[in-house]
Amino acid sequence: MPTPHTVPDLAIVGALLRNAARTEILPRAQSPDPRLKADGTWITDADLAMQARVQRELAVLWPAIPLLGEEMTAETQQRLMADEAARPEGPGLWVLDPLDGTSNFSAGLPVFGPSLAWIQGGQVRLGVVVDVMRDEVFSAALGVGAYLNGQPLRVPAAPPPLPKTIACIDFKRLSAPLATQLAMRPPYSSQRSIGSVALDWCWVAAGRFHLYLHGSQGLWDYAAGSLILSEAGGHGQTLVGEAVFNNTLEKRSAVCAGDAGLFAQWTQWLAVNGGVPR
């Protein structure tokens, strides 16, 4: 068993998250029993059971690394994040979304899953996202590469031209002028929104989406997925041209593409139309 401060093993973490999802999320999919939280978002027993199980199992393997979960209180999240930022040489911090896509899960739409990242020294060093219904495990380790079900994952080498691309766009979190421009004269061929930020990033990495735009996402939503896309050779930044990950709980926008050429064209179009500054 790993000792405290040992670097987490990607294969072990991936198997842990997949097995927990198959036990805690999948059996509850037929009767999710959703209810609203104070912030107006949905929660289910699957969210809570998954968070409790993952926290428990990670604590056995890596007891020195605390876990920040989406379903914790804001005060606890802020304290954990502050502790991590104050100890750059420490063991780091797990960041978990136990069920990204709870609205999909609650409605019976088969696109959802957990997202887990390990942050240490101000960087995302490991990330795992599980697509529960497709039984796909996306994973990555900083400087090592990205994987899909254990096989190397790279963004496709020959994407279509910009006017023929498929974009994943979350309209409701964009400014009205930018959303209007995208709706009236988009630079891409067609648009989708699947309702799971973590899987959005992974599907860009896998070439299922060519472009991505989201106006506001939480650390637990994007931390693992952003590492997976980067390690797969993809590109991402915020709408103001910054790195998406900034080691805080601040909500962040995301502009992404798998291919460097498409990324340049996409950010240029957004700059001209009210998005990324030139």
Side-chain angles (χ1 to χ4, degrees):
M1 181 180 295
T3 56
H5 294 255
T6 298
V7 174
D9 181 273
L10 185 61
I12 293 174
V13 175
L16 183 155
L17 198 65
R18 176 181 180 267
N19 292 338
R22 291 180 64 83
T23 301
E24 304 298 347
I25 297 175
L26 195 57
R28 293 178 168 92
Q30 295 302 314
S31 51
D33 187 26
R35 56 264 189 200
L36 287 172
K37 296 190 290 186
D39 65 0
T41 61
W42 294 104
I43 191 171
T44 70
D45 288 341
D47 296 80
L48 298 173
M50 185 68 180
Q51 181 165 291
R53 176 177 175 142
V54 172
Q55 183 172 23
R56 181 173 65 250
E57 293 188 352
L58 288 174
V60 170
L61 292 169
W62 295 284
I65 306 176
L67 181 138
L68 184 160
E70 181 185 10
E71 304 310 332
M72 293 177 173
T73 65
E75 292 77 15
T76 298
Q77 293 169 348
Q78 291 162 2
R79 174 180 56 79
L80 287 166
M81 202 71 215
D83 288 347
E84 156 56 17
R87 296 193 302 161
E89 302 303 320
L93 178 68
W94 296 110
V95 176
L96 174 71
D97 187 336
L99 180 51
D100 187 54
T102 302
S103 294
N104 285 353
F105 179 76
S106 301
L109 296 172
V111 185
F112 49 79
S115 174
L116 177 66
W118 175 49
I119 295 169
Q120 193 277 329
Q123 293 182 289
V124 183
R125 297 190 178 273
L126 181 150
V128 177
V129 176
V130 178
D131 185 334
V132 178
M133 300 305 289
R134 293 172 62 90
D135 196 25
E136 291 186 328
V137 180
F138 296 88
S139 62
L142 183 64
V144 175
Y147 303 89
L148 172 53
N149 287 345
Q151 299 301 307
L153 176 66
R154 295 292 297 176
V155 296
L162 183 64
K164 297 298 182 182
T165 54
I166 298 174
C168 179
I169 310 292
D170 186 294
F171 280 95
K172 69 180 180 180
R173 295 177 176 88
L174 301 177
S175 68
L178 178 56
T180 299
Q181 289 281 54
L182 286 164
M184 297 298 293
R185 54 183 197 91
Y188 43 76
S189 176
S190 58
Q191 173 267 330
R192 310 282 189 272
S193 181
I194 62 172
S196 168
V197 168
L199 286 172
D200 290 342
W201 287 87
C202 295
W203 284 20
V204 176
R208 299 169 190 174
F209 297 132
H210 306 113
L211 309 174
Y212 182 46
L213 178 61
H214 195 288
S216 177
Q217 48 192 249
L219 177 63
W220 42 79
D221 297 318
Y222 73 78
S226 63
L227 178 65
I228 291 165
L229 177 60
S230 176
E231 288 293 321
H235 307 270
Q237 64 182 41
T238 68
L239 274 165
V240 294
E242 300 173 345
V244 177
F245 176 74
N246 67 352
N247 207 31
T248 74
L249 290 171
E250 176 187 29
K251 294 281 189 177
R252 305 292 279 171
S253 58
V255 179
C256 305
D259 177 77
L262 284 179
F263 183 66
Q265 294 175 64
W266 182 217
T267 54
Q268 174 63 20
W269 187 94
L270 289 167
V272 171
N273 291 277
V276 182
R278 284 174 287 181

